[in-house]
Amino acid sequence: MATSRRVRRTLAAFGVAALLTAGCTLPAFAPRTEVEGAAAPTGSAPNWRPCPEVPDELVGRSAPNMRYECTRIAVPRDWGTGGGASAGPGAGQTFEIALLRARSTKQRDRIGSLVINPGGPGGSGVDTAVYLSFGPQFGGLPASITERFDIVGFDPRGVSRSSPVKCISDADLDTSFGFDPDPASQSAFDGFVGLSQRIGRGCGDRYGDQLPLYGTEQAARDMDAVRAAVGDDKLTYLGYSYGTLLGATYAQLYPQRVRALVLDGAVDPQQRLVEGSESQARGFERAFTNFTRWCAANAGRCPIAPDARAAVTSAIDKAKVSPVRGADGREATAGWVFYAVISSLYTESGWQELAQAIDKLAEGDPKDVFRLADAYAGREDDGHYSNLFDANLAINCADETEKPSRAQIRQLQSEWRGKYPLFGPALAVGMLSCVEWPGGRDPYPTGKANGAPPIVVVGTTGDPATPYEQTPRLASMLGVGRVLTWEGEGHTAYPQTSCITNAVDAYLIDLTVPPEGQRCPAR
């Protein structure tokens, strides 16, 4: 069933043309179901209503033994100092935050709510809560969790159903994804500069001085309103990828309101734009090397063996000069081929799909390349995109204070081409999106979560998007982090193996912290 793949890709990282510096997650596609109803005023009790139409549109049905309820809450656009700014951009105005609650009809000994964020930034927590409610046979949460917790997803401010940011045209997104991932000539590089400027100008014209209000610290304060809305005295939270940054920020702001946080696919909050981009280039290169080794050892399942690296590199190079045209007239340019590669590295199960797509492309059929790339981009068959990338830029760029010059980026493009040949140039050039972004910045805190209980930080040794090295750094920064390691491939770990699942479940349910240094085998 396609649901399993979609669930996993909801937890997959997004990296380059829209420029994620932190390793962020993307849903597989862009649903249009709305969570209807008026938002509850700030501080008031929310009005939950049944909403089976959300899983119906996302999956085609509700999960067995699950009920779904939705609501909206209003939060200040600018929390300011002490709970609400009285002056400045957004003063006196609110954003609406959409929530969905999945509750098992078999629930017993209820502990509270498990609040979910899939990352991105820009991924929908409402969608993810639905996907995870379908249970382990589809890549979702185990019954041990769904029978003790309500599963609560929320769309962060600016994302999907929550006062969404929308300022990038479908045409510009197509151009961005299709762009040469390594624009070698100065004119090609300048072309990407121009595209980044056009996108930034459009968003600046629409949102002006309110762009910084979409940053992570504001969203973390919204999470405390979510906690209050579900009626929990303390927050129990599962955050993936960028969701680990959101959770870490919450822990610093509200350490006394933390019950249990699982931060899976850890982001190092202390790394800046250049450092984070190089970290991802290194992580993707390492994951791609692992894919090529798998190919060489599994030639019967990998039609581009024995030299998968050469096959993929050749496909991208050919696409730069003579892209294959699909039946609908769409051209599989170098950018689309590159994003098919990116898409496939987030789960080990994607490796065979990538090999088959590259093999078919060589035969003149780009259909599978487009399928993989579109799943990553959230591009629908009609060419429409959700606001995921709009929100991604608004949030990432509000957070980021470092702005390397175009000359510095051009130099890094050359340097990283030598160190990380397939991914380095794209990650370097990708920094232009935030460099050319308008508006002020609102960086999140990067300190200890003094007074918080132990927080479990999960890392995967083969993670391409949030490389494993970031896991101990996040745990150390918080001061109360406990590292749990999965010696596996792909982005994020829970709940993929019994070892990881048992350790996380024991922590969420009984607050049993994993032993120091616990490592779980790949299988």
Side-chain angles (χ1 to χ4, degrees), residues 207-483:
Y207 294 101
D209 58 3
Q210 294 202 24
L211 282 175
L213 300 181
Y214 295 100
T216 294
E217 180 172 345
Q218 296 278 1
R221 295 186 184 279
D222 295 343
M223 281 175 58
D224 201 52
V226 171
R227 174 201 58 76
V230 299
D232 288 353
D233 292 333
K234 295 187 176 184
L235 179 69
T236 305
Y237 174 77
L238 171 61
Y240 292 99
S241 196
Y242 164 80
T244 68
L245 178 61
L246 197 55
T249 303
Y250 183 92
Q252 293 169 75
L253 296 174
Y254 306 104
Q256 303 294 339
R257 298 179 190 172
V258 171
R259 177 185 175 272
L261 305 185
V262 175
L263 309 181
D264 186 359
V267 171
D268 176 7
Q270 295 177 307
Q271 66 183 6
R272 297 266 55 91
L273 181 61
V274 171
E275 184 184 2
S277 296
E278 183 171 11
S279 175
Q280 278 200 323
R282 185 185 305 114
F284 277 109
E285 202 71 46
R286 180 168 56 201
F288 185 74
T289 297
N290 291 344
F291 156 70
T292 62
R293 290 172 178 166
W294 170 86
C295 250
N298 295 272
R301 299 167 60 196
C302 180
I304 59 173
D307 194 346
R309 181 176 287 273
V312 170
T313 301
S314 175
I316 292 174
D317 289 344
K318 288 179 180 177
K320 292 181 181 182
V321 295
S322 183
V324 176
R325 188 181 297 272
D328 61 355
R330 185 178 170 198
E331 291 187 338
T333 62
W336 289 113
V337 178
F338 178 78
Y339 278 102
V341 178
I342 288 281
S343 177
S344 304
L345 293 179
Y346 298 131
T347 63
E348 191 172 359
S349 62
W351 292 358
Q352 188 172 4
E353 294 179 73
L354 172 60
Q356 292 171 345
I358 296 298
D359 184 55
K360 288 184 179 180
L361 183 68
E363 296 174 352
D365 181 1
K367 182 174 61 176
D368 285 352
V369 162
F370 284 133
R371 179 178 57 80
L372 289 170
D374 288 354
Y376 172 79
R379 186 185 192 272
E380 297 178 359
D381 291 341
D382 62 2
H384 175 73
Y385 292 82
S386 73
N387 87 313
L388 191 150
F389 289 89
D390 312 66
N392 180 278
L393 277 176
I395 296 165
N396 269 337
C397 299
D399 287 345
E400 186 53 66
T401 56
E402 184 178 28
K403 292 186 71 170
S405 69
R406 295 173 199 161
Q408 287 175 302
I409 289 174
R410 188 74 164 138
Q411 179 61 36
L412 288 171
Q413 179 189 6
S414 177
E415 291 178 8
W416 292 357
R417 186 184 296 120
K419 296 167 70 174
Y420 322 106
L422 192 56
F423 303 96
L427 268 297
V429 172
M431 290 186 286
L432 287 166
S433 294
C434 273
V435 167
E436 303 296 340
W437 189 254
R441 302 294 192 264
D442 184 21
Y444 46 77
T446 56
K448 302 289 185 185
N450 292 322
I455 294 170
V456 172
V457 184
V458 186
T460 301
T461 56
D463 193 322
T466 52
Y468 178 76
E469 292 81 2
Q470 298 188 43
T471 300
R473 292 175 192 161
L474 174 58
S476 176
M477 186 202 80
L478 291 172
V480 293
R482 178 66 60 86
V483 171

Side-chain angles (χ1 to χ4, degrees), residues 157-160 162-167 203 207 211 214 387 390-391 394:
R157 57 173 57 200
V159 173
S160 192
S162 295
S163 300
V165 174
K166 189 58 184 170
C167 52
C203 293
Y207 294 101
L211 282 175
Y214 295 100
N387 87 313
D390 312 66

Side-chain angles (χ1 to χ4, degrees), residues 126-139:
V126 169
D127 297 355
T128 304
V130 170
Y131 297 144
L132 293 180
S133 73
F134 274 78
Q137 66 270 40
F138 299 125

